[in-house]
Amino acid sequence: MASIVRTGLALAAGVLLSVAAQAQSFPNKPIRVVMGFPAGGPLDQHARLLSDKLQAVLGQPIIVDYKPGAGGSVGAQDVMRSPADGYTLMLANTGVMAINPALYSRLPYNTLKDFTPVARTAMQPLALLVNNKVQAKSLPEFIAYAKAHPGSINFGSAGNGGISHLVPEMFKSAAGVDLVHIPYKGSAPAFTDLIGGQVQFMAESIPQAAAYHKQGKVRALAVTSKERNPALPEVPTAIEAGLKGFEVVGFYGFLAPAGTPKEVVGKLSSAFQQVMQLPEVRSRMVEQGADPAFLGSDDFAKFLAGEMPRWAAAVKASGTKLD
């Protein structure tokens, strides 16, 4: 029996030494970043910006691998099934991490169980917009107008269950108003109808919202972040405008498969932190509409655990379910 115990201890020690050695030499080959959306979108811009700088810090190529489909779920499954060695990461947004678990009745992954958070890299505020013909010049005026005309104001979104759908649902609950959802296939046609007046209200990410506001095509009443946004410095936050505690922003972050060694996660997280401190990266992120907002692995895990119930409540209130 004693010899069996000694053998078991020796094997365990060997495994620990092997893991430690792997972590010490990490990385010694290219790192793959999986993204569950097509190239060309905001998340792709974020991936390109960070990967260019990240490979200089880590000393290895960063390869962006597109696995689009099912709201990011195809890419998430790919990462979930990959070796937990730090050489496969997922870049995900609010939808993949926090909304999908409540939106899809048969989701093939569990955000908190199947992945190890590595780093939160950005927060993405939205602007609350109205058509120019709406008789409201401020958020309190719009809320009063909506209360006086229940069920007669339409809001557009890029589609059922997305952030541009759920933020107005959160707004409806916080403000106590009744708005009618009109889903579109993407933000472009929704914006077209907002400008044209077929819908009267919309929540959209910056800088697209800022561009239309500055062109005078729509009116921005508030931003959903805790602080004012540099792209819309004259527009108050929803909190400033009287909607107490209304801070709702999207976020981007990197995750690894569950079980990735802590030392490897630490190296990756430290590398992201270094990249996020570069002035050119921070300024470029703001131009892309994402505020630099680094969190390390442990803090990102706590953040996710707190955010998921909020988005789940919004999905439930919207009555949206996808299979």
Side-chain angles (χ1 to χ4, degrees):
M1 179 64 73
S3 62
I4 293 175
V5 171
R6 284 195 297 270
T7 301
L9 290 172
L11 287 171
V15 169
L16 290 173
L17 286 171
S18 175
V19 170
Q22 289 174 15
Q24 193 170 9
S25 64
F26 179 87
N28 56 24
K29 62 181 182 180
I31 294 172
R32 185 172 66 107
V33 173
V34 176
M35 188 165 58
F37 300 93
L43 204 62
D44 184 34
Q45 293 178 352
H46 192 68
R48 295 294 177 183
L49 174 64
L50 295 188
S51 61
D52 287 346
K53 303 296 183 181
L54 195 66
Q55 60 189 12
V57 173
L58 292 172
Q60 291 292 337
I62 307 296
I63 301 167
V64 180
D65 189 6
Y66 303 96
K67 301 283 185 180
S73 297
V74 173
Q77 278 186 279
D78 181 277
V79 175
M80 178 183 71
R81 294 167 177 168
S82 296
D85 55 10
Y87 290 101
T88 300
L89 301 177
M90 173 172 68
L91 170 56
N93 59 13
T94 314
V96 176
M97 291 182 276
I99 297 175
N100 283 359
L103 190 62
Y104 288 89
S105 56
R106 293 191 292 271
L107 194 69
Y109 64 87
N110 182 301
T111 302
L112 298 178
K113 292 181 180 179
D114 294 325
F115 303 99
T116 298
V118 174
R120 188 190 73 183
T121 51
M123 300 290 275
Q124 192 177 38
L126 291 86
L128 303 180
L129 309 166
V130 292
N131 172 269
N132 284 329
K133 293 181 181 178
V134 172
Q135 299 301 308
K137 305 297 183 183
S138 67
L139 192 63
E141 288 181 8
F142 177 72
I143 292 172
Y145 179 80
K147 286 182 177 179
H149 301 83
S152 65
I153 298 173
N154 298 330
F155 76 89
S157 79
N160 283 316
I163 193 168
S164 63
H165 172 202
L166 296 180
V167 169
E169 293 289 353
M170 291 176 172
F171 170 74
K172 284 169 55 178
S173 177
V177 296
D178 180 16
L179 309 176
V180 179
H181 178 220
I182 309 295
Y184 290 81
K185 293 182 179 180
S187 61
F191 257 116
T192 298
D193 276 7
L194 177 67
I195 294 168
Q198 286 80 9
V199 296
Q200 293 77 44
F201 180 77
M202 191 171 169
E204 185 55 56
S205 60
I206 302 167
Q208 189 175 18
Y212 283 114
H213 170 78
K214 290 174 181 177
Q215 292 167 16
K217 294 181 177 179
V218 298
R219 187 184 309 124
L221 299 181
V223 293
T224 63
S225 48
K226 190 175 183 180
E227 298 177 351
R228 293 195 182 197
N229 192 276
L232 291 167
E234 77 283 4
V235 177
T237 67
I239 297 172
E240 282 182 282
L243 210 56
K244 186 177 179 181
F246 193 80
E247 180 190 1
V248 185
V249 294
F251 53 94
Y252 295 160
F254 288 79
L255 303 96
T260 301
K262 190 174 181 64
E263 295 81 5
V264 169
V265 172
K267 279 192 175 184
L268 288 167
S269 184
S270 177
F272 278 111
Q273 186 174 25
Q274 290 181 57
V275 168
M276 295 290 297
Q277 290 171 346
L278 297 172
E280 64 267 33
V281 169
R282 299 179 68 84
S283 62
R284 186 70 183 126
M285 281 178 62
V286 171
E287 290 174 12
Q288 293 176 353
D291 295 339
F294 173 81
L295 284 180
S297 178
D298 291 342
D299 288 336
F300 186 23
K302 292 175 185 176
F303 172 82
L304 275 176
E307 281 291 295
M308 291 183 70
R310 295 184 68 200
W311 291 100
V315 170
K316 184 176 180 179
S318 75
T320 306
K321 271 290 182 185
L322 300 177
D323 291 322

